[in-house]
Amino acid sequence: MQQLKRIFIGKPLKSSDEGNQKLGRFKALAMLSSDALSSVAYGTEEIVIVLTTLSAAAIWYSIPIAAFVLVLLLSLTLSYRQVIHAYPGGGGAYVVSSENLGKNAGLVAGGSLLVDYMLTVAVSISAGAEAITSAIPALYGHQVGISFIIVLILMGMNLRGMRESASFLMVPVYLFVLMMTLMIIVGCYKIFTGAIPFHATSTVGAVVPGVSMALIFRAFSSGSSSLTGVEAISNAVPFFKKPRATNASETLAIMAAILGFFFAGITFLNYWYGIVPAEKVTVLSQVAQHTFGKGFLFYIVQFATAFILAVAANTGFSAFPVLAYNLAKDKYMPHMYMDRGDRLGYSNGIITLAIGSMALIFIFNGDTSRLIPLYAVGVFIPFTLSQSGMLRKWWVERPKNWFGKSIANFVGALISFAILVILFVYRLPDIWPFFIIMPVMIWIFYKIHDHYKKVALQLRVSAKEAVLHDYDGSTVIVLVSNVTQVTRGALDYAQSIGDYVIAMHVSTDENPAKEREIQAEFKEDFPNVRFVDVHSSYRSIQKPIVRFVDIVSKNAQKRNFTTTVLVPQFVPRKPWQNILHNQSSLRLRTAFANRENIIISTYSYHLKH
């Protein structure tokens, strides 16, 4: 098992190697912006899908809607650059909201982001699977299976370490950046030279009967899904090389500029070409076909799109473990999320994210249209809370130029809140699970926190406290199935630590002669040890043992003795051989785990063959 782990995960890294895992801007852009950049593959399409529910003529509204999305992008970019410099330790919306709006707001932001990162993985990989089936129609219908394979590959890659995953991601991310830039430039060149005539379904400003603000709002909220992943860099500031805040803020600015250019360019080309969404073929695929034809460059665009959509989930794999770490540090998630793996990553967070995202892909059958509304809610709640938190920070602290800084936060908070209202009003049938998931998550956070508080209070040692208990002796109960080398070793050990030793055996009706033989053999070999045989008519050994130990424990307490249950077991030489033997010792330890005043101990005998 260890050899297999080394093949897939790699050799363990020393803690001192952590500095070598830090990222420069070039690699960080590949690792942390793949989600945001890849969202242009479906952002324009989501706008157009909503608009065409009324009429293809309404597609021209995608132009002003895209302009408002770009305004929101600018506001969020300026705001998160401030977050990076104000909170260089990372944590993003969770830390900002907790410190400025209170712990409840922080937990709502943190819980929303945890769910959102699972949705990030599910949406990105599902979209990647759709892009693959668009290019290879023979694979249509196998999106869920393709998605599962991609999730497992990304999980393994991230378990190998941050630098390795960043190095791998540079290929798909920068290939996608190159192909999108080329497609937009070539498309615009052909338009301006007259090579591609105007084929839009209607002119900008044309009156389209039936258009309502509700439709525009729904399209705007769907298109804003292109901004997912903008906050990821602010969560992962500790991943950067020094000066961390400067490198992180500059990486965010570069990412936002590329994202804005792609989103505006693809939306314009889609409008000019008059593309209408079609089943089995994505809008981006149609834009590429109109620009390049069905030649070599078209297939490179398809390949690059599928590749980046598949690996865009890596933003979630980068950010989820860090957020889980921050919540665990504040005692709102299990402490296991603070543990680093062999390759210095937060392995438990990575594995949890993979399992959760696969569950979502399975539940929603890999349908991105059904996932994106939930995805948008998970994004814009933290957006709204983090912008509001920064506003309050500037208002309370009043640093230099605080009013100018607060303008970007105000605009971001206002637009993000407006999108939330739109989602709650117009997309309620799609997002209702959120109103169940979030209260449950908040309840779980507080139950975990309450448990850790009570444990800390109970375990706290006061210098003035006397010794809790001074025992007069020890009773040791050795569980005996038959007389073997394991039994002999366990009894010798019990007599060395106990004042009173009892050997307990459970007999059944299946082989009475064998039971009598065991008793006789034991009394002959260990005449000075008390032997107790408890009969079980139902072949169960667990319940009779627990009942007997409870009785002995009560009598021991009256004599001020401790009670120790010694469970003998033999350990096979090879790990796989464990499945060849019964697991009664494990079940017995589990049975006694919740018993007070009883100590459970294991005597292990190692087999040589």
Side-chain angles (χ1 to χ4, degrees):
M1 185 64 72
Q2 285 296 320
Q3 290 178 342
L4 195 63
K5 182 180 178 182
R6 293 292 161 258
I7 292 171
F8 287 102
I9 307 301
K11 294 180 180 179
L13 294 174
K14 296 178 181 178
S15 298
S16 57
D17 292 332
E18 184 178 3
N20 297 327
Q21 295 290 304
K22 301 300 182 183
L23 303 175
R25 281 172 287 183
F26 195 60
K27 284 191 174 181
L29 183 65
M31 184 172 183
L32 298 170
S33 68
S34 54
D35 176 29
L37 296 182
S38 68
S39 62
V40 300
Y42 52 82
T44 298
E45 182 168 12
E46 289 302 314
I47 294 175
V48 175
I49 285 173
V50 174
L51 293 174
T52 51
T53 57
L54 174 65
S55 166
I59 290 176
W60 80 262
Y61 283 100
S62 63
I63 301 297
I65 288 172
F68 276 103
V69 172
L70 293 176
V71 170
L72 178 57
L73 171 62
L74 176 62
S75 174
L76 290 174
T77 302
L78 293 173
S79 179
Y80 274 111
R81 279 170 62 89
Q82 295 172 7
V83 170
I84 288 168
H85 287 287
Y87 298 94
Y94 166 66
V95 174
V96 174
S97 303
S98 297
E99 290 196 7
N100 298 290
L101 301 177
K103 188 50 69 175
N104 286 332
L107 291 177
V108 170
S112 298
L113 282 172
L114 286 178
V115 175
D116 185 61
Y117 289 136
M118 288 187 182
L119 287 164
T120 295
V121 176
V123 169
S124 300
I125 289 179
S126 297
E130 288 178 2
I132 291 171
T133 55
S134 292
I136 310 173
L139 294 177
Y140 189 80
H142 298 284
Q143 291 94 321
V144 172
I146 294 169
S147 298
F148 279 12
I149 292 170
I150 297 170
V151 171
L152 293 173
I153 291 171
L154 285 177
M155 181 185 76
M157 185 178 71
N158 279 274
L159 289 173
R160 288 187 66 87
M162 189 163 53
R163 281 187 69 86
E164 288 196 33
S165 58
S167 298
F168 172 80
L169 287 167
M170 289 173 68
V171 175
V173 170
Y174 288 114
L175 176 63
F176 181 77
V177 169
L178 175 64
M179 294 310 301
M180 290 299 102
T181 303
L182 182 63
M183 184 182 74
I184 292 169
I185 291 174
V186 170
C188 290
Y189 175 78
K190 288 184 175 180
I191 288 170
F192 293 133
T193 57
I196 299 180
F198 184 69
H199 284 295
T201 54
S202 60
T203 58
V204 173
V207 177
V208 181
V211 169
S212 64
M213 291 307 297
L215 182 75
I216 301 300
F217 286 154
R218 286 178 57 216
F220 175 56
S221 66
S222 294
S224 297
S225 63
S226 292
L227 305 184
T228 57
V230 171
E231 82 295 335
I233 292 176
S234 68
N235 282 331
V237 178
F239 288 170
F240 285 82
K241 290 181 177 178
K242 294 180 180 179
R244 294 191 182 101
T246 300
N247 285 330
S249 62
E250 289 179 0
T251 304
L252 175 60
I254 295 168
M255 180 193 74
I258 297 172
L259 174 59
F261 172 67
F262 286 177
F263 183 69
I266 291 168
T267 303
F268 171 72
L269 292 178
N270 178 78
Y271 162 71
W272 187 273
Y273 295 160
I275 290 171
V276 178
E279 189 179 0
K280 299 185 182 181
V281 183
T282 63
V283 163
L284 185 62
S285 176
Q286 294 183 68
V287 171
Q289 185 176 344
H290 278 73
T291 304
F292 296 124
K294 265 210 167 177
F296 175 73
L297 289 176
F298 166 75
Y299 285 103
I300 293 296
V301 169
Q302 289 297 96
F303 173 75
T305 303
F307 209 174
I308 195 174
L309 283 167
V311 302
N314 201 76
T315 298
F317 278 103
S318 302
F320 181 96
V322 177
L323 177 58
Y325 167 85
N326 281 306
L327 283 160
K329 184 177 67 175
D330 293 340
K331 303 186 187 306
Y332 289 101
M333 283 187 72
H335 284 168
M336 68 177 186
Y337 289 104
M338 296 171 66
D339 297 338
R340 289 183 181 271
D342 287 350
R343 304 287 292 181
L344 300 179
Y346 298 111
S347 303
N348 291 322
I350 292 169
I351 294 169
T352 300
L353 177 61
I355 294 171
S357 60
M358 285 195 290
L360 286 170
I361 291 169
F362 178 77
I363 292 168
F364 290 92
N365 200 33
D367 187 346
T368 55
S369 296
R370 294 170 63 196
L371 287 165
I372 281 176
L374 275 174
Y375 188 29
V377 173
V379 170
F380 283 101
I381 284 179
F383 277 177
T384 304
L385 290 172
S386 63
Q387 307 309 305
S388 303
M390 290 302 291
L391 267 176
R392 188 173 186 279
K393 178 181 177 66
W394 301 139
W395 178 260
V396 171
E397 296 179 5
R398 305 288 180 96
K400 186 179 180 181
N401 299 323
W402 70 272
F403 187 76
K405 292 179 178 179
S406 64
I407 291 175
N409 300 128
F410 176 75
V411 173
L414 183 64
I415 298 177
S416 298
F417 180 72
I419 292 172
L420 274 180
V421 172
I422 293 167
L423 288 168
F424 290 156
V425 173
Y426 297 110
R427 305 300 294 270
L428 188 60
D430 299 317
I431 65 171
W432 63 266
F434 177 83
F435 296 99
I436 298 173
I437 294 169
M438 275 312 300
V440 171
M441 288 194 71
I442 299 298
W443 180 78
I444 291 172
F445 288 153
Y446 275 110
K447 289 296 287 185
I448 292 172
H449 190 70
D450 183 60
H451 169 76
Y452 281 131
K453 278 175 63 179
K454 289 178 177 176
V455 168
L457 186 64
Q458 187 172 341
L459 297 181
R460 186 175 296 128
V461 176
S462 171
K464 297 180 180 178
E465 286 185 32
V467 177
L468 291 176
H469 204 109
D470 187 10
Y471 291 101
D472 294 327
S474 172
T475 298
V476 181
I477 303 171
V478 182
L479 305 183
V480 175
S481 58
N482 48 36
V483 182
T484 63
Q485 291 285 359
V486 186
T487 307
R488 181 177 297 279
L491 285 168
D492 288 344
Y493 174 71
Q495 289 175 314
S496 72
I497 65 169
D499 298 287
Y500 181 47
V501 177
I502 304 173
M504 182 197 173
H505 173 74
V506 178
S507 60
T508 64
D509 296 325
E510 293 185 339
N511 193 340
K514 177 67 175 176
E515 298 293 352
R516 288 193 294 271
E517 181 183 331
I518 291 172
Q519 292 181 33
E521 188 177 354
F522 185 91
K523 289 176 181 178
E524 181 181 346
D525 289 355
F526 308 102
N528 299 322
V529 178
R530 180 186 173 192
F531 181 85
V532 176
D533 178 75
V534 178
H535 183 263
S536 173
S537 301
Y538 298 96
R539 299 163 306 284
S540 168
I541 65 168
Q542 185 172 307
K543 289 183 179 179
I545 290 173
V546 171
R547 283 198 299 267
F548 177 77
V549 171
D550 283 341
I551 294 169
V552 173
S553 176
K554 288 179 182 177
N555 292 329
Q557 288 179 54
K558 293 176 182 177
R559 300 173 59 193
N560 198 29
F561 271 38
T562 61
T563 302
T564 300
V565 178
L566 187 62
V567 184
Q569 67 174 17
F570 55 83
V571 180
R573 185 180 177 187
K574 297 178 181 178
W576 68 267
Q577 294 171 336
N578 281 296
I579 62 174
L580 304 178
H581 306 281
N582 68 55
Q583 304 299 313
S584 57
S585 61
L586 178 63
R587 291 195 297 270
L588 287 168
R589 288 196 299 272
T590 303
F592 284 112
N594 62 351
R595 288 292 198 279
E596 290 188 22
N597 304 314
I598 296 175
I599 301 163
I600 310 301
S601 182
T602 303
Y603 176 82
S604 297
Y605 182 86
H606 293 265
L607 298 176
K608 294 180 174 56
H609 301 288

